[in-house]
Amino acid sequence: MKKIAVCDDNAVMLEFISKQASKLFSSYEIPHTMTNFELGAELLSEHKISPFDIVFLDIRLPDIDGFEVAKQIKQISEKSFIIFITTESSLVYDSFNYDPFWFIPKSKPEILQTKLQSVIGKLVERIKLNRTICVKLPRGELKYLNSDSIIYISSKSNYIEIFCKDEKFRIRKKLDDILKEL
């Protein structure tokens, strides 16, 4: 279940983005919950309790600048995908400092809908690439690994070593088999 937030101070735009995004995620059969916010502080308060996987974020908000919201979101959960949606197209390059997944300039509803469809399609591809695999360790213990935590895998004789960000594992398996799982 993907937890999604939309934050925009324009109520009409907030509702439009939320409905369109929900329809698109449903069309890709991605289970999700959608929560709307008009203020960045409200979004951050909820994100601290239970982080959002995906955030559609306006940059110009009345209480906190969207860039500051993005910065705090990433401090809490660096795996959150941020998609900036704003009328301020000139801020696209500044947005790169906050590691967004994408930047969508607000425009006419039909153009915005097309751009949302494209970006959500790319996001779904990324989500589907990020799989969890289960490896059986030597003493029968099962270890679940997220594919994005794996740095590299090496093969030695009948064993493979999986090097992750914080640990490594040695298991008896063929390299071809683990690659099929990934």
Side-chain angles (χ1 to χ4, degrees), residues 3 19 38 40-41 52 58 70 79-80 82 88 112-113 145 164-165 167 171-172:
K3 191 173 175 196
K19 282 185 177 179
E38 291 186 11
F52 290 97
D58 190 6
K79 291 186 177 186
S80 295
I82 296 174
E88 305 282 336
L112 182 56
Q113 183 176 1
L145 299 174
C164 298
K165 294 175 183 172
E167 53 194 342
I171 59 174
R172 186 174 177 88

Side-chain angles (χ1 to χ4, degrees), residues 2 8 11 15 24 31 33 50 64 70 98 108 131 140 163 181:
K2 294 295 176 190
D8 197 308
E15 189 66 24
L24 290 164
T33 60
S50 177
I64 303 174
Y98 305 93
K108 295 178 183 176
R131 291 189 157 70
F163 293 83
E181 290 180 41

Side-chain angles (χ1 to χ4, degrees), residues 39-42 44 58-69 72:
L39 298 173
E42 293 172 349
L44 287 171
D58 190 6
I59 294 174
R60 297 291 181 223
L61 296 169
D63 61 338
I64 303 174
D65 181 71
F67 287 150
E68 180 60 30
V69 174
Q72 291 185 41

